[in-house]
Every structure is written in structure tokens, then in C-alpha cells.
Amino acid sequence: MPDCTVVVITYNDAARLPRAVRSVLGQSLRDLEVIIADDASTDDTPRVASELARSDPRVRYLRRQVNSGGCGAPRNDGLDATTAPYVMFLDSDDELPRHACKSLLGEIERTGADFVAGQISRLHERSGRLAPYYPSLFARRRVVAGIGAEPELFLDCFSTNKLYDVRFLRENGLRFPEDIHYEDHVFAAGLYAVSRRFAVVPWVVYHWHRAPDDRSISLNIKEMDNVRHRVAAARMSDDVLRGHDAGDLVPDRQYRFLRQDLRVYLNPLPRRGRVWAKEFASVVRPYLEEIPLEVFERIEPMARVCCHLILGDRVDDLLVAARSLPDPCAAPRAAVRHEGRTYWGTTVTPGMDITRLRMAELPYTAARLRHEVTEIAGDGERIRMSVHTYDPFGVLPVGWTAFLQLGGQRVPIEPVPSGDGGYVSEITFTPTASCEPRIGFTRNHDGRTTTDRLMAPPDMEPIAVQLTRTVTAEGNAAYLRVRVPSVRSRLHRIKRRLLRRFSTPAMKLRFYKAVIRLLPPRPDLALFEADVGKGYTGSPRAVYEELRRRGLPIRVFWSVARCRANFPADARLVRRGGWRYVWLLARAGIWVDSHGFPLNYPKPPGTRYLQTWHGQGIKSVGFDAPDLRADFDRPRAEWRAAVARWDALVSPSAEFSRVFLPSNGYTGQVLRYGTPRCDALVRQESRHDVLQRLEIPPGRKILLYAPTYRDGAKNSGRSVRADLELMAEELAGEWVLILRTHPVERFRTPQHIRHFVRPAGSYPEINDLMLASHALLTDYSSVMCDYALTGKPMVFLIDDWDEYRLTERGVYHDLPAIAPGPCVTTTEEVVEALRELPAVHAAHAERYAAFRELWCADERGDAAARVVDAFFGHRAAS
């Protein structure tokens, strides 16, 4: 008897069947069998399946004489024929990852569960990209005591990402219905209804292939019969639950229908046309009428609006609303504000409440307008179009100027009132580059601009302009898009090939070494760099401004990787990594930076290097940090050589010197005068009006949220561990949160919390944010040491403390023992601390004082001047 049977169902899929079967035969679990259940294929599948069976004794082939019209019958055939104690199901166009069977078998034997479910991932064949399906459902490994304990798992109604105990299935009479599509939904309802113990694992156990020409049932959503089958499957699933005395779970199953199944049809609805939408609404309306109102309250606002419009047979409005489903959703044509709530349309109707989207509360630069292209045509040279602009939240001021944004090009336009509170624009333009056109409005009194995309007619045919350019409507919402193919001349291609050949890092390094051998560095030339060229900030900025204040005869160039706009207009800039950068690196007699110039570039003889570093705190650094503490010689040798280039190191405190010097192997000159970048904090000098730049309403308290990155998840957004939506719900009337993510982090702030959250990851100067804020929320970031200079409250969200200190980064200090504010593990505790902030801050006064003494004792506000005195040898003018 094999340990596991995998039933591979197939119909007219001779080309892909071998791939599916090979994915089973290649499993790391060798003791298994494959049952090919053929639903009476009429192509070459019988021959292919027979050859697979002959080639490996573990393969059996079953063939139905008459096609059943669905997937249920062949799955039941395979289930009936299995001889193993456990079974899985596989579609012939999909695959199993190599360890799927073995890992699931080990889990079901370990837990004694009725079945085990794992992550299913869509595999997009064109790109090779894997996209996990509802990854939050599989985020942690666990045993679930029945579906009632976690009803959100109704979202997982797949039959293919599970390993089942065959005896459990047979004893409970669990089979697939054979007269309906989406039979796995009904099967899953019965499975969940009778199972008292099942397991969930977080790894991928099934690759669901998505081919460009996919003809699978689940993707054949243009056919109205597909809609009918899905609605029928939903009803049958509800009846199955009731039949097993689990009627209390029916609302959770219906929530799955509203959140997942219905959205499959609503998302592309604008492109279907009115006739299709009318019939669709008539098919789904009877089932929607059976769903309790409280279930509709659980789905996101625009999906609920669409449901309400279906129930009211308002098909024209449904087509308008459905275009707002993609994220970030488009603004409505009209909205009503009443008693603090916002409603879609022109009347106050409970089912049309869209308050949760917070569109009416956004700052002006993030405000939402709706631009609909009502007419569009091209003459081969230009595009002419009429655009109706709706201002549902009344954000447009009295005085403004408008424009059409085409990439980097702005075309002035003159909207005129339309009579319904909106505007109509007649626009003529010539597309010059690939872009998504936007219409913008700039307020005359402060110069702020808000822009939004244009919605083209959903049935719009592509328009060709000047032979090579195309204007199209893209996506389910049919946003206007200009496509211009990249056309490069032969000369340009030759130039690019030469650059790729001769402008390599190795070639630049050879050039650099030749220059430093032949030419001495210039003592009056300096190269400054902050945060690896990402900004004009930190201690290098403070030192540079002190040099300028004194008028010292030093010619300074700034390395810049991006954000040139944040540098002073008269600053000399050089692109980091370019040939000119390499030349300046070789010729400059002074290097100043906060992180590290390129590691493998030796310092020229005679050049002096000032390392200001970029922070101090509890995190491990240098050879103790994750990227260097492993015993790999090359990176450690590179860093050792890089540190040896430093001639002087700015040390903010005795504690910094105690930890940083040995952990980096530094033995050179130490300038312990405080931190140049912190002089502005000590002197309370703000360079920008944060409230004005970030559009913070007067009277709001400001919380600066500055989490550090996680070494194992850079650029993932996972450092933002606070529940910002919960904080918005609890604090938005009193607080505004400035989100300052780490420069190596990527996090996209959802639109519906932009009324509360101001993204500031690219804000030019964090000191300004610290001075403007009333409190800091952080975790293990070094910002805590700088913020202590303000004397303002701090809260520490350290829900992953054990993981961070033991397996992630590592620390030198026990943060809960020394933190100058409460250490909490949930967002609810953060909210509670902020509500009692004065008392909480006072309770930590003694620890706050000790924390400042540990990290900030040398900060007197003159660090930049003292560093310049010590390193550059020029005293300040009297």
C-alpha cells in the first residue's frame, strides 16, 4: 500500500498532463501512486496517459466513457480507486512543488488531523511570478479546532491544496457533487462542517498555473452559465452547512461569496456592457436577497455599494460604481456628507456608506477627483477628447489653474463649469512618451497640486497616433494610457553596448587606481556623501554648513544617488557611481560621509577621511551584525579594509565608543564632541515648516512613527508592525501620524488611512519631524537616542522582541530594562499609552533621565563646530 495517492484529473489536456504527472513522480516522497482520472477526453490524452502508466508502475489510468461536464465525477472516480490512507487532488494543468506530499504527510501524521491545508500559489507562466493566494490565511503553522474557530478559512475552498485522511472522507460520505461547476466549494463546505480538527501549514504545496490562453472553468467568467453555477454552488454550500447542524456558519460562508466569488465578476463588469450587467444582476440578486444585512457590513465599502445597487436594480449606477473597485479606488461622481459620514451618490442611504474609505478627509495633495473621458478621437497626429471632472467632496478651491500631465510634460487646460458641480474640459494633445495621463489642479494661494487619472470609455478601441504611438483604455476601470514603443537607433544601440562593455565597475576601479597612482589628491577638494548618496542630511550636512558658515577655502561636491531636489540650489552635485564620481573620489583630499564610500576603493595617499556615522543605539553593528558575523572571510576582510580608511570617527557618546570601536575594529582618532546632526535638535532649529509641507491640520497632535528595518525582510514593508487602520479609527480626531520608514524599506500607505497617516519616508530632514512631533513611536531604531534630546515622550512597539534580539539583528542592551517609555506588544497598547501620555511619560521620568545621560551627555549643540576645528584645523571666526 502506498503512503499517498494523488488523483490527477484531466480532460483534453494531452500537452500538459505529463508535466502534472511528472511533478508527482518527482516528489521527495517516493512511496506514492498516481491515478489519472480522464473525463472521456477526445484528444490525444488517452494515448499520453497510457504511456505514462506503462512507463512507471506507480501510475494507474482510469477513463470514463462519457464526459461528465465537470470536475466532480473524475475526482470521485479517483477517490473510489485509491488504496492509500491519504489522498491529494491535482488538476492536469497544474503542478505540485517537490516536497508537497512528504511535508503534508508528515504534518497529518504528527497532528492526527482530518486533513492538512497549505498555501496555494498562482504561477503566472508568462513571467514566472508566484503569487500566493490569501497568504494571511497560511501565515502560521497551526491545528484548528473546527472551522468555527477560524471561519475566515472559508476563503480557502480549494480541494487541491490539501492532503486528506481517506478513511475520514469515506466515513463521513464526503464526495464531490457531479452536476455542477465549482464543486470544490460544496465539497469544502461539507469538509469543514464535519471536521473537528484540521491543520494549516505556511509553505506552498500547490502551483496553480495561469497561462495567457487559459480556458479553465474558474476563468471562463464571461459566460452567464458560469455565474449561474457559482451562485448554485454557493446555495448548495449553505444547505450543506445547515444539513450538518452548522447553520450558524452560513453567514461566514456567505461573506466568502461576497468578498471573493462576487468580486470575480464585479471587477471586470465595466467592460461587459449594460446588457451583460443587467442579466448578471438578475442572476445574483435572488441569492443576495437571502444574505443578512450584517454580512454586507463586513465587506469593503465599494463592494457593498455594488451589492446595494444590484439589489435595487440600478444597473447604470452599478457600472459607474464598479469602476471604483480597483485599489486605490476611483472617486464617485457624487457623494453626500451627513453627520460625519460619507455616502456614495446623491442620497443618504445606509447601504451606500463609504466613510471607511476616508476620501472626503484626505489632504489636498492626495484628494480624489473623478475624470471621465466622454469623447475621444484621433486624427493621426493628435488626440482630441472631452473630459468631465467630478468633484464629489468639494476640494477644488475658488482659485486654481489646471493642466494635463503627460509624464514630464504639462499641457495647460481650461475646464469650464458643467452645471452639476463639476467641470468639462476640451483637450487636444500630442502623446510623446509612454505615460498614464492625469489631470491636475494647482491652488493659486499656496501652489499645492492634486492630480488623478483619466477614465476612458470601457469599450474604447485603441487609437494610433503618429504611427508608433497608441492611446488605449487599460485595466478593469479602463484608465487612459499612452503607449510609445521604445525605438532606438542603430547608433544608440552601439553606444549602449560600448558603455556596457567599458563602463563596468571593474573598469572604473582600474581607472581609479591608475589615477591615485599618478596624481596627488587636492587638499582643497572635498567629496561629501550622506546615506549612500540618498540625501542632503545627517552629520555630513551639518559639517558642510559649518564649513560654508566659516567660508573656508574648500571646494565641496556632494554625491547624489537620487532626490536632487533636496539639495541646495548652489550645491555641486555628482551622480554616485558615475565616472565623474570616480574621478572626484580619486582627486578629493577630503572624504566625509555617514555610511561608507564604495568598499573596494582604497583611499588615495594623502586623502583624509572623516566618518560621521549615522546613529547609535541598542542594535548590533559591525562584525556583530548579521551580514558580517557569519564566518565568511571576504566580506569581513572588505569591511576591515574599509574601516582602516577612516582617519577620524565622530563619536556621540562614551557608550557609542565602548560598543562601536571594538565591534568595527577601529583604532584611529575619535572625535567625541557630540553629533553634528543633533546640533539642530539641541538648539531647536527647524529648517522646514512640517505642518505646512505635510498638510497637517492645526490643533492636531503629531505622532512620529519611525520603525527600523528587519535584516531578513528589507524592502518588504514588514517593519511597519503597528495596525495603522486601528490607530486611525481610534486616534484620527486628535492625532496625525507621520510615518518615517527606514531608507531601505518600502511601504505603500493605503488610501483609506491617508487622512491620518502622512508618509514621510522621503522627507528631506528627520530632525524637522522630530521637532514638530509631540511623541515618538519606534521599535529598535537609533532614532530613539536622537529623540531623547527633545525630552518628549516615546513609546516602543516591540512585538517581535525575542525574535529580533535572538535570531534577527541582535542587541547590546535589554531595551525593556532601559527604555525611556513603555514597551508594548500590541497596537491597542500603543493607543492606550497615547491616551494617557502625560501620566505615562511622567512615570518614566527617571529612566528617561538615565537614558539621556547614557546616550546624549556630550550633546551641547556645538558638535559641528568642534568637529570642524579638530578635523579641518580652522577655528571659527570671532
Side-chain angles (χ1 to χ4, degrees):
M1 180 187 296
D3 288 331
C4 175
T5 295
V6 179
V7 177
V8 182
I9 66 167
T10 187
Y11 174 69
N12 285 354
D13 200 16
R16 295 182 293 191
L17 177 62
R19 182 184 67 186
V21 173
R22 283 195 298 268
S23 79
V24 182
L25 298 177
Q27 288 287 300
S28 55
L29 177 69
R30 305 300 298 168
D31 191 9
L32 49 71
E33 71 170 349
V34 180
I35 296 178
I36 301 174
D38 178 7
D39 199 11
S41 294
T42 58
D43 68 346
D44 206 25
T45 295
R47 182 189 62 79
V48 171
S50 298
E51 288 181 358
L52 289 168
R54 284 194 298 269
S55 66
D56 195 305
R58 294 176 295 169
V59 180
R60 285 195 284 156
Y61 176 40
L62 306 178
R63 173 174 164 78
R64 295 180 68 85
Q65 296 305 308
V66 178
N67 180 258
S68 68
C71 299
R75 286 203 178 111
N76 287 335
D77 292 344
L79 179 59
D80 292 340
T82 184
T83 59
Y86 302 105
V87 66
M88 287 188 72
F89 298 99
L90 173 64
D91 293 345
S92 60
D93 53 345
D94 298 330
E95 290 179 279
L96 296 182
R98 175 169 166 72
H99 302 294
C101 293
K102 189 173 185 178
S103 64
L104 292 177
L105 179 64
E107 193 72 4
I108 202 168
E109 290 180 339
R110 183 184 71 85
T111 60
D114 300 324
F115 66 92
V116 183
Q119 177 74 68
I120 191 168
S121 278
R122 298 180 179 92
L123 196 162
H124 297 273
E125 293 184 354
R126 178 173 291 170
S127 64
R129 183 175 61 91
L130 276 174
Y133 176 88
Y134 285 112
S136 60
L137 298 179
F138 305 94
R140 54 191 179 86
R141 187 178 184 178
R142 62 201 187 274
V143 176
V144 182
I147 188 66
E150 295 190 34
E152 64 273 17
L153 283 167
F154 274 122
L155 286 166
D156 175 22
C157 283
F158 291 96
S159 60
T160 50
N161 64 327
K162 300 174 179 66
L163 177 79
Y164 307 88
D165 183 322
V166 173
R167 184 174 63 178
F168 166 76
L169 296 182
R170 289 172 176 168
E171 287 178 350
N172 287 280
L174 289 172
R175 297 176 65 78
F176 293 90
E178 299 185 4
D179 55 351
I180 192 172
H181 296 160
Y182 302 105
E183 73 294 329
D184 47 353
H185 293 193
V186 185
F187 175 81
L191 180 73
Y192 285 132
V194 299
S195 176
R196 296 295 174 262
R197 178 183 174 84
F198 61 91
V200 177
V201 297
W203 53 84
V204 175
V205 300
Y206 195 86
H207 286 165
W208 178 16
H209 279 254
R210 305 297 294 271
D213 59 345
D214 203 326
R215 300 288 194 272
S216 65
I217 292 172
S218 61
L219 295 180
N220 193 21
I221 58 175
K222 292 182 180 180
E223 301 298 327
M224 198 57 61
D225 274 349
N226 187 285
V227 183
R228 294 188 180 95
H229 276 273
R230 199 183 290 256
V231 172
R235 274 210 180 90
M236 289 178 66
S237 299
D238 296 347
D239 292 340
V240 166
L241 291 174
R242 295 185 185 103
H244 286 95
D245 295 325
D248 58 315
L249 293 172
V250 169
D252 293 300
R253 177 60 181 74
Q254 293 171 333
Y255 168 67
R256 179 239 146 79
F257 178 84
L258 297 179
R259 180 179 175 182
Q260 174 62 32
D261 300 331
L262 191 64
R263 284 294 295 269
V264 169
Y265 305 102
L266 287 178
N267 287 346
L269 191 67
R271 289 186 173 274
R272 298 283 186 259
R274 192 180 189 281
V275 173
W276 197 97
K278 181 79 172 177
E279 186 176 3
F280 164 76
S282 68
V283 171
V284 300
R285 186 181 303 114
Y287 182 62
L288 295 186
E289 290 172 344
E290 300 172 15
I291 299 177
L293 289 177
E294 56 268 23
V295 179
F296 290 101
E297 292 301 315
R298 297 171 58 185
I299 61 176
E300 62 94 8
M302 284 312 304
R304 186 172 63 249
V305 166
C306 289
C307 290
H308 187 84
L309 295 172
I310 291 172
L311 289 168
D313 196 20
R314 296 167 57 184
V315 176
D316 293 326
D317 287 339
L318 173 64
L319 289 168
V320 173
R323 300 185 74 178
S324 293
L325 287 170
D327 184 40
C329 64
R333 288 178 175 175
V336 178
R337 301 290 310 280
H338 180 68
E339 295 182 352
R341 306 203 66 80
T342 307
Y343 299 87
W344 192 94
T346 57
T347 60
V348 176
T349 308
M352 311 292 276
D353 191 323
I354 60 170
T355 307
R356 267 172 44 198
L357 297 177
R358 302 294 177 184
M359 285 191 185
E361 303 163 51
L362 295 171
Y364 182 73
T365 55
R368 302 307 310 277
L369 302 172
R370 186 181 182 107
H371 308 295
E372 292 187 12
V373 178
T374 55
E375 294 181 20
I376 185 167
D379 59 8
E381 293 293 325
R382 295 172 297 177
I383 295 292
R384 292 184 175 86
M385 62 183 180
S386 298
V387 181
H388 193 142
T389 294
Y390 299 90
D391 181 16
F393 309 111
V395 300
L396 293 180
V398 173
W400 45 259
T401 56
F403 56 88
L404 176 70
Q405 185 83 47
L406 297 167
Q409 176 190 6
R410 284 190 175 185
V411 179
I413 62 175
E414 297 182 1
V416 297
S418 61
D420 57 2
Y423 300 87
V424 173
S425 306
E426 301 296 332
I427 304 172
T428 300
F429 70 97
T430 301
T432 58
S434 295
C435 66
E436 195 173 57
R438 305 174 75 92
I439 284 182
F441 287 83
T442 300
R443 291 194 305 209
N444 293 342
H445 71 276
D446 62 6
R448 292 194 183 281
T449 295
T450 186
T451 67
D452 223 322
R453 295 177 290 179
L454 280 71
M455 307 175 85
D459 58 352
M460 168 186 163
E461 295 293 331
I463 301 174
V465 182
Q466 296 185 350
L467 299 179
T468 61
R469 301 160 191 177
T470 307
V471 179
T472 64
E474 296 189 357
N476 290 326
Y479 285 113
L480 197 68
R481 181 83 191 189
V482 176
R483 293 287 183 186
V484 178
S486 177
V487 180
R488 292 177 176 172
S489 67
R490 182 180 179 187
L491 183 63
H492 182 77
R493 290 194 296 269
I494 293 172
K495 178 182 176 182
R496 295 290 297 176
R497 280 198 295 268
L498 289 173
L499 284 174
R500 282 197 297 267
R501 181 174 180 181
F502 294 107
S503 190
T504 64
M507 185 69 72
K508 289 175 181 175
L509 183 57
R510 284 197 292 271
F511 169 77
Y512 172 84
K513 289 180 177 180
V515 172
I516 65 175
R517 281 196 306 268
L518 297 173
L519 298 174
R522 290 176 47 183
D524 63 341
L525 182 63
L527 183 60
F528 275 58
E529 184 172 284
D531 197 11
V532 200
K534 293 177 182 174
Y536 175 68
T537 186
S539 290
R541 172 181 180 171
V543 171
Y544 169 72
E545 291 179 351
E546 179 65 17
L547 291 177
R548 291 187 55 171
R549 187 184 71 80
R550 299 186 185 195
L552 298 183
I554 298 174
R555 195 163 181 242
V556 176
F557 283 83
W558 274 92
S559 160
V560 56
R562 61 186 185 191
C563 299
R564 288 173 174 256
N566 293 331
F567 286 81
D570 60 347
R572 302 180 182 93
L573 306 180
V574 58
R575 182 175 63 84
R576 192 179 199 272
W579 281 103
R580 192 171 180 226
Y581 174 83
V582 173
W583 170 257
L584 285 168
L585 204 60
R587 299 304 322 280
I590 300 168
W591 289 1
V592 179
D593 92 320
S594 62
H595 285 67
F597 286 109
L599 295 181
N600 52 352
Y601 279 64
K603 187 182 64 172
T607 292
R608 299 171 64 240
Y609 185 171
L610 173 62
Q611 174 58 256
T612 68
W613 208 241
H614 50 276
Q616 59 174 334
I618 68 167
K619 299 187 296 185
S620 66
V621 293
F623 295 112
D624 298 332
D627 52 346
L628 291 177
R629 63 178 172 233
D631 191 18
F632 296 110
D633 290 339
R634 182 173 178 179
R636 292 170 69 88
E638 281 185 344
W639 183 243
R640 194 174 289 110
V643 170
R645 299 178 301 180
W646 303 349
D647 293 289
L649 170 68
V650 172
S651 171
S653 66
E655 181 62 17
F656 177 87
S657 295
R658 182 187 73 81
V659 170
F660 189 89
L661 271 58
S663 64
N664 286 274
Y666 178 71
T667 57
Q669 182 184 12
V670 176
L671 306 181
R672 224 190 91 194
Y673 305 131
T675 316
R677 72 171 180 276
C678 290
D679 289 348
L681 295 176
V682 176
R683 298 196 294 259
Q684 301 280 300
E685 293 178 353
S686 181
R687 295 176 172 88
H688 300 99
D689 185 346
V690 173
L691 274 65
Q692 195 270 338
R693 288 187 64 159
L694 295 183
E695 300 176 272
I696 297 176
R700 300 286 177 88
K701 289 186 284 189
I702 300 172
L703 176 66
L704 174 59
Y705 181 24
T708 192
Y709 66 92
R710 303 306 189 262
D711 288 84
K714 294 179 181 178
N715 296 313
S716 68
R718 283 167 50 188
S719 67
V720 182
R721 304 182 71 85
D723 184 340
L724 301 182
E725 187 165 349
L726 173 63
M727 294 183 72
E729 288 295 322
E730 297 292 333
L731 302 171
E734 183 180 1
W735 290 82
V736 168
L737 183 145
I738 296 177
L739 178 60
R740 175 71 172 200
T741 51
H742 193 278
V744 304
E745 185 61 286
R746 291 181 182 177
F747 180 81
R748 178 172 162 270
T749 303
Q751 175 186 274
H752 67 278
I753 57 172
R754 281 295 309 276
H755 67 295
F756 171 69
V757 177
R758 299 294 188 269
S762 59
Y763 196 90
E765 184 54 70
I766 191 173
N767 281 352
D768 297 342
L769 304 181
M770 288 191 274
L771 291 172
S773 66
H774 295 86
L776 171 71
L777 173 63
T778 187
D779 43 24
Y780 320 109
S781 172
S782 61
V783 72
M784 67 177 79
C785 299
D786 292 359
Y787 200 82
L789 287 167
T790 70
K792 292 182 282 194
M794 290 187 256
V795 178
F796 300 85
L797 178 59
I798 56 170
D799 59 309
D800 61 340
W801 168 243
D802 286 337
E803 177 186 356
Y804 190 85
R805 68 187 178 90
L806 296 175
T807 63
E808 169 76 22
R809 180 62 180 254
V811 296
Y812 297 115
H813 293 269
D814 182 8
L815 181 60
I818 68 167
C823 291
V824 300
T825 59
T826 68
T827 304
E828 289 82 358
E829 291 176 299
V830 172
V831 171
E832 184 179 350
L834 292 173
R835 285 177 172 160
E836 303 295 332
L837 197 56
V840 168
H841 187 43
H844 289 80
E846 187 174 337
R847 291 217 303 197
Y848 205 119
F851 190 87
R852 285 188 61 159
E853 182 63 26
L854 180 65
W855 303 106
C856 308
D858 293 331
E859 304 292 356
R860 301 194 311 226
D862 60 353
R866 298 178 73 187
V867 167
V868 168
D869 288 342
F871 187 79
F872 293 88
H874 295 274
R875 295 289 174 181
S878 57

